[in-house]
Amino acid sequence: MDKVTKLASQRAVVIFSRSSCCFCYSVKSLFHELGVNAAVHELDEDPRGAEMEKALVKLLGRKSPVPAVFIGGKLVGSTDRIMTLHLGGNLVPLLRDAGALWL
Amino acid sequence: MRRRRRLTNGGLDVRPVARGRPPAWRGVAWRSLDDVAVSAERRLTAPRSQDRPFRWKEASFLCFWVDVCSNNMSSASTQFASPRKMGIFEPNHQIGMWGDSFKADSSQNTGASSIVEAEIKLDNRLEDSPRTIVGPSKKYDQEANKPTDKVLRRLAQNREAARKSRLRKKVYVQQLESSRLKLVQIEQQLDQAKQQGVYIGGNLGESTLGLSGSVNSGVTAFEMEYGHWVEEQNRQTSELRAALQAHVSDIELRMLVESALSHYDNLFHIKAIAAKSDVFYLMSGMWKTAAERFFLWIGGFRPSELLKVLSPQLDPLTEQQVISVCNLQQSSQQAEDALSQGMDKLQQNLAETLTSDSSGTSGVSDYMGQMVNAMGKLEALVSFVNQADHLRQQTLQQMYKILTVRQAARGLLALGDYFQRLRALSSLWAARPREPA
């Protein structure tokens, strides 16, 4: 859990994902499209991935915790939440506030 | 004064045989020569119909008999006039001869038999030259046999049988015609149903082993529900149109708009259930019509396309609204692209999983491992379909937030209309006349 929070606060946008998960790839692709330089942590490539996954499950309350997006150190949620925010036009302001975007 | 002729004489049945003649004649029991003559005349001069071939033999026989009997009764009457009118006889000449023969043979029976013989001869003659019936009169003279009741009876029976078989044929043909029409109708319905995505069960081969029963039921349940959904959608679209034309109050419009939006929510809900049951079916779009399938994107319509359809309908928009709509268009496009790229990546991954280690050195366990891996990847499809539906839902919700109630109503009407027209286009396309292969 600490590892998760530690990593989450290192950058404006932090994404925990799995390299094999294509769904996570969509989120990554979206942030890339928005011009955000997100820090991506692949849980299956990290030695302490299983631990972090468990922590994320507790945080998110879902069976599959990835992708998990943290903006400005705070947990935003999974793909659903990101899409809702983005269509609502709220994602970009959030990113701007966190300092991930400068435009 | 006319003598009445007994009709049951020697089995000679001169009651009119119903051979497709005009209905007024049916069931008429002749009781006098007058009737015979009149009927004969009518038969010869009545308009021909298809199932009543001109019965020369019959009609001429009747004319003969009328002639003969009239002569027998020695009364110059209108019966003579009738045959003459028909131009078949040379009555004067013939009557004389017949009259002689009758005088020679005065009994009723023999008279009748002579007539029968004449008729038989007449048949032969008439086959060749229906219009000249002068000959038989001579033959008639020569005949003096006893009346053959059996022959008469058989002839009558033949007539009856022929009539019945003609009737049967008519009925049969009518049945054939109606069956053919029905067949054409059923074929059309089947075509339409195929276009509307009735699942003919051909794709169930890929579904999980032993679960094809439950998968099928999930699919059929969805199909049924979707059918109801479309009906309700059409109804709501008409209701919106009527409400907008009638300029109802904003409150009423709001109710209509919200029920329309929740109707879309229903669709996404049943799609989510179907995705768990058979995601490939949902993604194939077979539950939609052909033209809708053309626009298919991850199991449904594109959110950005939705906005493109709606925007021109929404003028006038305030500046703020224009900006918001533009932003929404952009973000929905970006979200769409993100999902599309995710799908591409999935395809790539799946292909890689299935093509790795095809050198054959690995063994069964590796093959099974490969399959398990691939299965795991496929499960991601469900997430994609759900997320695509989520995008669609969010786009609709956001539009509702940006627009006024009236604009939202117009927008939903435009959307409902658009999908209705796509469905209609599919039907027209399916029913178009095709060039023979």
Side-chain angles (χ1 to χ4, degrees):
Chain A
M1 181 59 97
D2 330 312
K3 177 94 174 161
V4 166
T5 38
K6 198 172 94 167
L7 285 172
S9 46
Q10 268 176 4
R11 294 266 225 122
V13 180
V14 178
I15 306 176
F16 291 96
S17 90
R18 254 200 291 262
S19 57
S20 58
C21 172
C22 300
F23 210 45
C24 309
Y25 186 81
S26 293
V27 172
K28 286 181 232 169
S29 162
L30 178 64
F31 279 112
H32 184 75
E33 176 79 23
L34 293 176
V36 174
N37 193 2
V40 178
H41 298 283
E42 309 285 3
L43 292 178
D44 48 348
E45 284 162 9
D46 198 297
R48 296 186 35 198
E51 236 181 78
M52 291 201 282
E53 201 171 318
K54 277 191 211 131
L56 284 169
V57 167
K58 271 199 220 120
L59 272 176
L60 282 167
R62 277 158 51 134
K63 238 175 52 181
S64 171
V66 291
V69 180
F70 288 79
I71 300 183
K74 282 200 296 259
L75 175 65
V76 172
S78 190
T79 326
D80 260 12
R81 191 89 182 87
I82 298 292
M83 294 297 179
T84 310
L85 279 176
H86 188 45
L87 286 181
N90 301 319
L91 185 63
V92 170
L94 199 63
L95 290 169
R96 243 184 251 139
D97 288 343
L101 284 177
W102 289 281
L103 291 161
Chain B
M1 179 139 136
R2 300 202 180 144
R3 208 184 298 160
R4 284 190 167 268
R5 188 111 183 142
R6 268 196 285 139
L7 293 179
T8 50
N9 174 31
L12 178 62
D13 181 5
V14 292
R15 274 176 302 162
V17 176
R19 281 204 244 193
R21 63 176 189 273
W25 290 9
R26 293 205 183 108
V28 170
W30 288 340
R31 292 288 171 229
S32 74
L33 285 179
D34 296 343
D35 295 341
V36 175
V38 166
S39 288
E41 186 191 2
R42 267 200 221 132
R43 196 174 298 194
L44 283 171
T45 56
R48 308 247 320 260
S49 63
Q50 268 207 320
D51 52 357
R52 186 184 72 80
F54 198 102
R55 293 277 165 193
W56 286 103
K57 135 178 125 180
E58 199 181 18
S60 314
F61 165 62
L62 287 167
C63 295
F64 269 120
W65 198 60
V66 162
D67 231 24
V68 164
C69 299
S70 306
N71 195 46
N72 204 19
M73 296 190 298
S74 63
S75 58
S77 66
T78 49
Q79 278 100 341
F80 286 144
S82 321
R84 191 179 302 145
K85 262 194 289 187
M86 299 178 231
I88 297 175
F89 309 96
E90 282 283 323
N92 295 327
H93 170 67
Q94 286 157 353
I95 287 167
M97 294 202 301
W98 297 334
D100 293 341
S101 77
F102 256 92
K103 281 169 192 149
D105 194 346
S106 57
S107 77
Q108 290 186 339
N109 278 350
T110 49
S113 75
S114 309
I115 293 161
V116 171
E117 296 297 337
E119 189 199 25
I120 293 167
K121 296 282 189 272
L122 201 57
D123 284 353
N124 301 335
R125 285 298 183 132
L126 283 177
E127 295 311 316
D128 307 323
S129 51
R131 297 218 173 255
T132 57
I133 313 177
V134 182
S137 57
K138 297 194 183 118
K139 290 275 176 87
Y140 190 87
D141 263 343
Q142 297 158 17
E143 302 300 331
N145 299 335
K146 286 204 76 76
T148 38
D149 304 349
K150 284 182 197 161
V151 172
L152 288 173
R153 230 192 331 262
R154 222 184 5 259
L155 287 170
Q157 279 168 358
N158 284 351
R159 279 198 292 276
E160 270 301 321
R163 177 177 69 92
K164 280 189 188 141
S165 79
R166 270 196 298 277
L167 279 176
R168 272 201 304 273
K169 179 185 172 188
K170 206 170 159 190
V171 167
Y172 178 61
V173 166
Q174 277 170 358
Q175 278 176 354
L176 273 182
E177 282 291 316
S178 63
S179 304
R180 192 177 68 86
L181 280 174
K182 227 171 139 188
L183 186 65
V184 167
Q185 268 176 11
I186 292 176
E187 271 178 355
Q188 278 176 356
Q189 279 176 9
L190 190 64
D191 264 333
Q192 277 177 9
K194 267 189 193 161
Q195 286 304 316
Q196 284 164 19
V198 169
Y199 193 63
I200 316 277
N203 296 342
L204 289 181
E206 304 113 65
S207 56
T208 42
L209 333 144
L211 286 180
S212 35
S214 62
V215 167
N216 203 2
S217 70
V219 160
T220 45
F222 173 72
E223 269 175 18
M224 240 174 47
E225 283 169 352
Y226 181 65
H228 295 321
W229 188 89
V230 169
E231 277 170 21
E232 176 64 18
Q233 171 80 338
N234 292 340
R235 192 194 66 79
Q236 281 184 357
T237 306
S238 310
E239 218 176 14
L240 271 174
R241 187 178 296 122
L244 281 170
Q245 278 171 358
H247 301 291
V248 301
S249 69
D250 273 10
I251 300 173
E252 285 176 58
L253 264 186
R254 183 175 292 279
M255 271 172 39
L256 286 176
V257 165
E258 284 185 357
S259 74
L261 284 174
S262 77
H263 193 56
Y264 275 108
D265 288 346
N266 290 348
L267 175 64
F268 301 133
H269 179 68
I270 59 176
K271 276 175 81 180
I273 297 174
K276 283 194 208 122
S277 181
D278 188 350
V279 70
F280 279 115
Y281 169 70
L282 213 54
M283 291 210 26
S284 71
M286 286 311 292
W287 48 282
K288 283 187 178 242
T289 63
E292 287 175 293
R293 236 174 287 145
F294 180 51
F295 293 93
L296 199 70
W297 176 78
I298 312 187
F301 58 85
R302 278 181 188 271
S304 53
E305 177 196 322
L306 186 153
L307 291 174
K308 276 186 216 140
V309 166
L310 288 188
S311 307
Q313 308 288 330
L314 301 174
D315 295 331
L317 290 171
T318 67
E319 217 177 280
Q320 181 57 45
Q321 281 179 324
V322 168
I323 296 174
S324 305
V325 168
C326 264
N327 287 343
L328 183 60
Q329 230 161 5
Q330 193 184 36
S331 35
S332 75
Q333 187 68 57
Q334 283 165 342
E336 240 176 76
D337 290 343
L339 277 189
S340 298
Q341 285 181 24
M343 286 288 278
D344 289 346
K345 191 77 165 63
L346 181 62
Q347 266 187 352
Q348 208 182 342
N349 275 8
L350 194 62
E352 277 169 15
T353 309
L354 291 175
T355 54
S356 61
D357 278 337
S358 43
S359 52
T361 50
S362 18
V364 176
S365 59
D366 280 350
Y367 177 83
M368 285 312 295
Q370 206 180 48
M371 284 298 148
V372 167
N373 210 354
M375 293 273 277
K377 291 210 185 314
L378 280 185
E379 280 169 19
L381 268 180
V382 179
S383 315
F384 273 105
V385 171
N386 287 342
Q387 198 54 229
D389 276 346
H390 180 69
L391 269 190
R392 290 169 192 125
Q393 195 178 37
Q394 283 305 308
T395 309
L396 284 169
Q397 293 288 342
Q398 282 303 316
M399 281 300 275
Y400 183 41
K401 279 189 194 151
I402 296 171
L403 300 173
T404 66
V405 169
R406 203 154 288 269
Q407 285 168 330
R410 288 215 310 268
L412 284 168
L413 174 62
L415 198 62
D417 247 350
Y418 173 68
F419 288 125
Q420 257 179 337
R421 282 175 207 168
L422 273 181
R423 286 182 214 120
L425 181 65
S426 303
S427 304
L428 282 174
W429 180 256
R432 79 194 186 283
R434 275 164 250 227
E435 276 151 30

